Amino acid sequence: MLLTAETLASWVLPFGLPPGPMATAARELAHHLARFDDRPRAGIIEIVAGDLPGDGFLVTVAANHVELRGDSPRGCLNAAYWLLEQLGFAWVEPGATGTRFVPGKGLAEGDHRENPAFARRTLVLGNDALHDEWAEWLQWASRNRLNDIFFHDTPPSRLDRGPAVRPEHADDIAADGSGWLFERWDAESSAIRGAASKAGMTIQFGGHHLPALLERVQFADHPDWFPVRNGVRDSRYNLCVSSEGGVAHVRVRARAFFERFAGADVYHLFGDDIRGGGWCECGRCADMSPSDQALFATNILAEVLAEAAPAARIAHLAYHDTLLPPTSVQPRNNVSLLFAPRERCYAHAINDPACERNVSQYWTAFTDLLPLFANDPARIDVFEYYSDAILFKWLAPPSLDVLPADARAYASAGAGNLQNLMVSPRPWIGPPWHAWWMARCAWDPETTVEAALAHFCAAAYPGHVALMATYYELQERAYRLVLDLHDLHPSVRRDVLDFSTEPSETMRTKVVELVEAALLFDELRRRIRNLNGPSMATERRQAELVWHVVAHLAHRMAAWQLSVQGSDHSGRAGHLAEASTHQEWLADWDRGSNPPAYANLSRYLLSAMRHYTGLLA
């Protein structure tokens, strides 16, 4: 017998299940199967939970009986979602319209066992607009078998804002320039914790908030609490970790932080988000590397957390100039690693031997960090950027090949948690394949991209399955041209995709690649211009936006190359005019179509675009 959704809809569901993921599993089955006509009760569905630490499951299908046996209560919920997926359901974007059903699918009798590659699989909600939709995104993440949600704060919220209320209008939000996660948590933490509990999901909370624990206004009375730079005390960035007074003050403020934002399983209080110069050079700190100072500060917070929330953990961020392992400080037991390779090359897998940048600068650093955390998967988290439209300049790479290869590498090295930062200056226009694909790869890195594309496109773009699968494959080719960093030197003051001029030969190569990519994205938007059906209207808008971004980058880089060469002034002026045209299209779109909640990121990125373009005028 082949079990179908229509058949299962008539079967008897269990009742009286304990609250939490098991009861949610029964509700989700009933909710999704309600679309089918009621028929005579021909079989029964059982939901059984074990007490194992993982959330794998066994689904057993017989003639008149289906058993969903989870290794844990969350495993039962994963089993329900897996079963629904085998029968034709898919969740391609959050909200009711994102639930799709593809008829004609079924599941054979027998035992079907599934185990995830990573014990924890995290969706990171990275900015206010996404926090506004946390309930829809949490549900979407759960349905796609992610089991952890991270409320990350970009840009950082103000810890001492008082009774202020988030502005309604984009200009006012942009002028304020800060995030509003703290106010969100104050108002809705009970609802967030309740929703996560029902789904069997853990919660992470925080961001770059270490500096907020030492208010900058304290500098006037206590300059010794602040870092020494170039021989003088400096009120900017982090703290002097050797200052007893500064450390004592941070302890008090940290306790208040953990008490105010109670209820998370993992906390994040990162240092300032800068590359270089963020830590102290005083006599007592000088022998400590940035990594040592960052871990020392994290240990201080961990001591306070152990008292305030003994079951919670806090993350040590390996990122920018704290990427290398500390040499003089050991992490406390409630400190976990958060490896965040932001400046890596996303045209290659993290351990691809063909990419010197990834292997020598990032993969080696990651593997060197593991012994510091006892090679314990429960303490080894990877913070990846597959859905980061700040890093990717408003773009949304599909990562068809890189993402599963990354997942295989991280899993084989012993990571226990793969996280995907979703942060953006604009909404995801259309189904966010990149986030959906990450959820698939975090569960099973061996899944094939061909099968995944067929499954996703059948649900997201009915009537255009083969065409849209090819569309994503062509996108992959175009994005590789944008993302390949080759041996370009990193630039301290520019973001990754602002590139650099050295080596000059590589810069010339990069310009050629960007021009080719812009042509490919132009072709892609033309391919779908006249297609109709669910998701196609939004996909067309997304394709238009992406083309303008890449065309802007291509023309700006071409003008920069000519400027460096000191020749062809008319050609440079032409490229600058084109770059400005595409930039202004984005600005018009931002003013006319972008929801206001994105303004504290979109206006900043548009300002950076104008700045770098203006330097070439």
Side-chain angles (χ1 to χ4, degrees), residues 206-545:
H208 290 277
H209 297 309
L210 174 63
L213 301 183
L214 182 58
E215 315 96 295
R216 303 298 107 173
V217 296
Q218 295 286 346
F219 185 76
D221 295 327
H222 304 285
D224 57 303
W225 294 1
F226 293 81
V228 170
R229 294 188 187 87
N230 300 316
V232 297
R233 294 285 173 179
D234 188 335
S235 64
R236 297 171 302 162
Y237 315 136
N238 301 320
L239 77 158
C240 172
V241 297
S242 299
S243 167
E244 293 181 5
V247 166
H249 187 80
V250 165
R251 286 181 188 275
V252 172
R253 297 268 289 175
R255 180 175 293 278
F257 184 97
F258 296 135
E259 290 174 351
R260 176 180 173 185
F261 305 116
D265 299 276
V266 181
Y267 287 93
H268 302 270
L269 286 161
F270 310 145
D272 276 300
D273 191 4
I274 61 170
R275 283 181 282 173
W279 295 94
C280 186
E281 302 168 352
C282 78
R284 290 191 291 173
C285 292
D287 291 336
M288 299 175 67
S289 70
S291 297
D292 285 298
Q293 293 188 48
L295 182 53
F296 186 92
T298 301
N299 279 343
I300 292 167
L301 304 173
E303 291 178 14
V304 179
L305 181 62
E307 298 173 359
R313 293 185 291 113
I314 191 165
H316 164 69
L317 179 64
Y319 172 74
H320 290 341
D321 53 353
T322 65
L323 194 67
L324 297 178
T327 58
S328 62
V329 181
Q330 294 292 313
R332 287 178 55 89
N333 289 337
N334 61 339
V335 175
S336 57
L337 169 66
L338 189 66
F339 176 73
R342 190 176 188 277
E343 287 79 33
R344 60 169 283 194
C345 175
Y346 281 94
H348 300 88
I350 189 69
N351 66 339
D352 186 345
C355 183
E356 174 67 18
R357 177 191 300 267
N358 283 356
V359 172
S360 65
Q361 297 181 36
Y362 295 96
W363 185 246
T364 298
F366 175 65
T367 55
D368 286 348
L369 280 160
L370 303 185
L372 189 70
F373 295 86
N375 292 291
D376 180 359
R379 299 177 67 193
I380 300 171
D381 301 352
V382 175
F383 186 92
E384 271 291 1
Y385 294 82
Y386 307 116
S387 299
D388 182 353
I390 297 177
L391 171 63
F392 295 130
K393 299 292 187 188
W394 303 66
L395 305 177
S399 302
L400 300 187
D401 299 322
V402 164
L403 216 162
D406 278 359
R408 289 192 295 270
Y410 287 129
S412 64
N417 177 215
L418 183 60
Q419 306 187 13
N420 179 29
L421 174 62
M422 187 164 65
V423 60
S424 182
R426 48 92 169 186
W428 302 125
I429 307 172
W433 156 270
H434 43 90
W436 185 92
W437 182 223
M438 179 273 171
R440 287 295 172 285
C441 294
W443 184 271
D444 179 13
E446 301 299 332
T447 189
T448 65
V449 67
E450 294 81 9
L453 273 175
H455 179 81
F456 183 84
C457 292
Y461 313 107
H464 307 294
V465 179
L467 187 150
M468 290 306 294
T470 301
Y471 176 84
Y472 276 102
E473 290 165 354
L474 289 174
Q475 271 196 65
E476 177 83 349
R477 175 184 162 194
Y479 270 112
R480 280 185 65 91
L481 292 167
V482 176
L483 299 177
D484 198 335
L485 300 178
H486 303 292
D487 61 342
L488 283 172
H489 297 168
S491 174
V492 172
R493 295 188 179 278
R494 293 175 182 266
D495 207 347
V496 178
L497 295 191
D498 289 315
F499 306 108
S500 71
T501 61
E502 298 295 333
S504 57
E505 183 66 28
T506 307
M507 184 193 185
R508 286 192 289 272
T509 298
K510 193 72 250 172
V511 170
V512 172
E513 289 176 339
L514 288 171
V515 170
E516 183 180 350
L519 292 172
L520 282 172
F521 280 114
D522 188 22
E523 168 62 21
L524 282 166
R525 72 186 180 116
R526 294 174 189 277
R527 282 188 178 217
I528 64 172
R529 180 169 288 171
N530 297 315
L531 297 182
N532 295 312
S535 300
M536 291 313 308
T538 51
E539 196 62 45
R540 286 196 293 273
R541 290 198 292 272
Q542 166 119 303
E544 189 76 10
L545 186 149

Side-chain angles (χ1 to χ4, degrees), residues 10 32-33 46 50 53 115 128 143 197-198 275 303 306 345 439 464-465 467:
S10 68
H32 285 82
L33 297 173
E46 283 191 274
N115 290 300
D128 289 331
R143 287 173 170 175
S197 177
K198 289 177 182 178
R275 283 181 282 173
E303 291 178 14
C345 175
H464 307 294
V465 179
L467 187 150

